Amino acid sequence: MSDLEILKKAQVLDKEIYGERAILESIPENRHALDSVFEEEKENLKKLEAALTAARMKQKERENDLQEKETNIRKLDGQLSLVKTNKEYAAIQQQVASLKADNSLLEEEIIKLMDEVERAEKETNAEKNRLQTLHAKCEEEKLVLGRKEEEAKKRIAELKAERENVVKDISPETRQLYERIISAKRGIALSPVKNEGCGICHMQLRAQVLNEVMSKDKLVLCENCSRILYIPE
C-alpha cells in the first residue's frame, strides 16, 4: 500500500480524533457557562432577600412609630383630667388630634408595607424554588459533561492506538510531513481534487500540479493551503 493510501486511512482517524478533542475543549467552557447562570441566579436571590429584609425593617420601624404615638396619646388622655384651664385642655386635645392624624397615615403606610413584604416574600420563595431546580439541572448537566469527557478521552486513546498501527509503515519523511500538516490544519491534512482545484481551499491547480497528483509518484501539496492533494476514487 502506498504512503498516500495509508495517509487516507490515517486522515479518517485524525479527523475523528480532532472531533473528539473539540468536544474536550468545549467542556470547560460549558461548565463555566452553567456556573455563570447559577451564580447569576444566586445574586438575584440575594437582591430579593435584601429587598425583603429592607421592607420588613421599614414595616417594623413604622409599627414602632405607631406604637410610640399611641403610647403618647394614652399619656395625654391621662393628663386631661389633671389640667386646670380650658387653654391647657384645648392644647392637649390638639396634640392628641395631631397624633391620631399621624397614626392614620402610619396605618395606611403600614398596610402598604405589609403588601410589599408579602409580595417580596412570594418573589423570594419563588426564586429559592427556581434556584433549587436550576441547581439540580446544572448538576445533572455537569454529570452529562463528565460522561462526555470520559467517553471522548477513551475514544481518543482508542483512535490514537489504531492510528499508530496504520502509520507505522510509512517513511519517516512522509510521516513528519503529514504530522506537521495535520497539526497546522486541525485534523485535515489531505484534500481531494475537485473540478481541477483543491477541494478544501478551492484554489485552481496548475496543469503541472494536476499531472503530478494524477501520476501518484510523490506527495503533492496544494500551493495555497499546503494540504496533500489526492484524486478521489
Side-chain angles (χ1 to χ4, degrees), residues 94-111:
Q94 186 176 359
Q95 289 182 55
V96 170
S98 177
L99 288 171
K100 286 183 177 179
D102 290 344
N103 282 358
S104 180
L105 294 175
L106 280 172
E107 287 170 351
E108 290 180 5
E109 186 177 358
I110 289 170
I111 290 172

Side-chain angles (χ1 to χ4, degrees), residues 34-87:
L34 290 172
D35 289 337
S36 296
V37 170
F38 185 66
E39 288 301 318
E40 185 177 337
E41 286 298 327
K42 281 177 66 177
E43 287 300 316
N44 189 40
L45 177 59
K46 287 181 181 179
K47 291 177 182 178
L48 290 174
E49 289 176 333
L52 174 58
T53 299
R56 284 172 172 168
M57 289 178 63
K58 192 172 182 181
Q59 179 186 338
K60 185 64 177 176
E61 288 173 359
R62 295 298 179 267
E63 288 172 345
N64 289 339
D65 291 343
L66 179 62
Q67 186 176 3
E68 183 180 350
K69 290 181 183 297
E70 287 177 344
T71 299
N72 290 335
I73 289 172
R74 286 194 295 272
K75 287 181 180 179
L76 291 170
D77 284 339
Q79 293 174 13
L80 286 173
S81 60
L82 302 176
V83 298
K84 297 179 180 181
T85 66
N86 289 336
K87 185 177 180 180

Side-chain angles (χ1 to χ4, degrees), residues 24 48 81 123 140 147 178:
L24 285 180
L48 290 174
S81 60
E123 289 179 1
E140 183 179 347
R147 288 195 291 270
Y178 177 77

Side-chain angles (χ1 to χ4, degrees), residues 140-190:
E140 183 179 347
E141 291 187 18
K142 284 182 180 179
L143 288 175
V144 172
L145 289 175
R147 288 195 291 270
K148 285 184 177 180
E149 186 176 35
E150 291 304 314
E151 289 169 1
K153 288 178 179 178
K154 180 180 178 182
R155 183 57 182 154
I156 287 173
E158 293 172 347
L159 289 166
K160 282 185 173 180
E162 186 176 353
R163 176 189 189 274
E164 188 60 31
N165 188 54
V166 168
V167 300
K168 65 182 180 181
D169 294 328
I170 61 175
S171 66
E173 295 80 9
T174 298
R175 180 165 183 173
Q176 184 178 12
L177 173 65
Y178 177 77
E179 297 290 2
R180 177 173 58 80
I181 298 173
I182 205 78
S183 178
K185 303 300 181 179
R186 297 285 297 172
I188 305 295
L190 274 65

Side-chain angles (χ1 to χ4, degrees), residues 185-212:
K185 303 300 181 179
R186 297 285 297 172
I188 305 295
L190 274 65
S191 176
V193 174
K194 293 182 179 180
N195 299 320
E196 298 185 350
C198 174
I200 300 294
C201 72
H202 309 297
M203 174 81 171
Q204 284 299 112
L205 304 175
R206 294 185 296 110
Q208 180 183 347
V209 173
L210 278 172
N211 289 335
E212 289 175 348

